[in-house]
Amino acid sequence: MNNNDYIIRLETEKDYYEVENLAREAFWNLSFPGCSEHYFMHVLRQHEAFIPELDYVIESEGKILGCVMYSVSKLVDENGHEKAVLTMGPICIHPEYQRKGISRMLLDHTFAKAFEMGYDTVINFGNPDNYVARGYKSCKKYNVSLEGDYYPAALLVKELKEGALEGKKWTYYQNSADEPCNDESAVEKYDALFPPKVKAWHPSQEEFYIHSHSAITW
């Protein structure tokens, strides 16, 4: 793989359908029958927490192979002080181009851009197997929890600046951008704009259930 074969650039409005269809291909039946990531992208772009300056695609020979989006959320320490952090996602790579280092290029590029913009922490909910190689660690190691001192196994944290979270206890409050995805009828209506696909069960859905319902207790 030659990095010069790829172009990393900001997403434009004309890319929306192609990017959303790519996300649909990447996530279909992965976490549950069907998917909602393409609808999430649609609503995220209209949300106040969305950061268009970090909305990037990677392409080769005019074809978009992957994309990543970011939004602003917050951490609150034990004294009530707030800290703006990035929530990463969705990120997706076309199934035909996965495991080729494309996500690494896309993340390394956007992490650098985020640091230039003044952000020092990125948070993501995901399968640790997919992200620890990019510098993400368990939320427990950074003393970052959800309310109630709950440390989900899938809550991953990456410091863009070493020591950014050191010495404090943090509670993570994610923005509300994904709330519309809880409306199954809205997801179905939007999905009808794309080519028909068959919903089905796959073993990856059980893996998703285990990760998303697991917590670190010690």
Side-chain angles (χ1 to χ4, degrees):
M1 181 186 67
N2 188 334
N3 289 10
N4 294 328
D5 295 335
Y6 301 93
I7 296 173
I8 299 176
R9 61 170 177 81
L10 289 169
E11 183 191 45
T12 66
E13 187 173 352
K14 69 178 183 179
D15 299 320
Y16 288 179
Y17 185 85
E18 183 179 358
V19 166
E20 290 171 15
N21 194 53
L22 185 156
R24 191 168 177 258
E25 292 294 326
F27 286 103
W28 193 260
N29 292 334
L30 184 65
S31 302
F32 55 85
C35 75
S36 61
E37 280 76 9
H38 52 315
Y39 179 61
F40 177 41
M41 288 177 162
H42 171 68
V43 299
L44 177 59
R45 295 190 192 97
Q46 304 167 57
H47 195 276
E48 62 183 2
F50 177 58
I51 307 176
E53 297 87 350
L54 291 175
D55 177 17
Y56 276 87
V57 300
I58 184 168
E59 66 179 9
S60 179
E61 298 180 346
K63 179 180 180 180
I64 295 176
L65 309 181
C67 60
V68 65
M69 294 178 171
Y70 295 84
S71 54
V72 177
S73 294
K74 66 180 180 181
L75 293 175
V76 180
D77 70 15
E78 59 267 52
N79 296 314
H81 299 140
E82 297 186 3
K83 176 184 181 67
V85 296
L86 295 178
T87 294
M88 190 191 80
I91 179 173
C92 58
I93 305 298
H94 192 283
E96 295 179 6
Y97 296 90
Q98 294 176 4
R99 308 299 177 186
K100 297 181 182 295
I102 293 175
S103 64
R104 174 186 57 77
M105 289 188 288
L106 192 57
L107 289 180
D108 287 350
H109 182 85
T110 53
F111 288 160
K113 292 293 183 181
F115 185 75
E116 290 174 3
M117 293 174 66
Y119 294 101
D120 58 29
T121 304
V122 184
I123 294 181
N124 178 40
F125 278 94
N127 184 336
D129 292 345
N130 296 332
Y131 296 105
V132 294
R134 300 276 66 80
Y136 281 94
K137 296 181 180 180
S138 166
C139 62
K140 184 73 171 177
K141 292 189 173 181
Y142 291 110
N143 214 7
V144 174
S145 71
L146 301 185
E147 287 187 290
D149 285 338
Y150 182 69
Y151 296 87
L155 182 59
L156 308 173
V157 179
K158 178 180 174 64
E159 285 187 334
L160 300 179
K161 178 182 179 181
E162 186 175 355
L165 302 178
E166 188 174 352
K168 294 185 178 182
K169 167 71 175 71
W170 302 95
T171 302
Y172 174 60
Y173 295 91
Q174 185 170 323
N175 63 65
S176 61
D178 64 345
E179 289 183 359
C181 296
N182 296 325
D183 184 345
E184 293 184 10
S185 63
V187 175
E188 291 289 339
K189 183 178 180 180
Y190 196 72
D191 188 66
L193 301 175
F194 298 83
K197 292 179 73 69
V198 177
K199 294 183 179 181
W201 183 87
H202 286 289
S204 61
Q205 295 169 23
E206 183 64 19
E207 180 181 0
F208 171 78
Y209 180 86
I210 293 170
H211 280 302
S212 61
H213 290 79
S214 300
I216 297 171
T217 58
W218 54 275

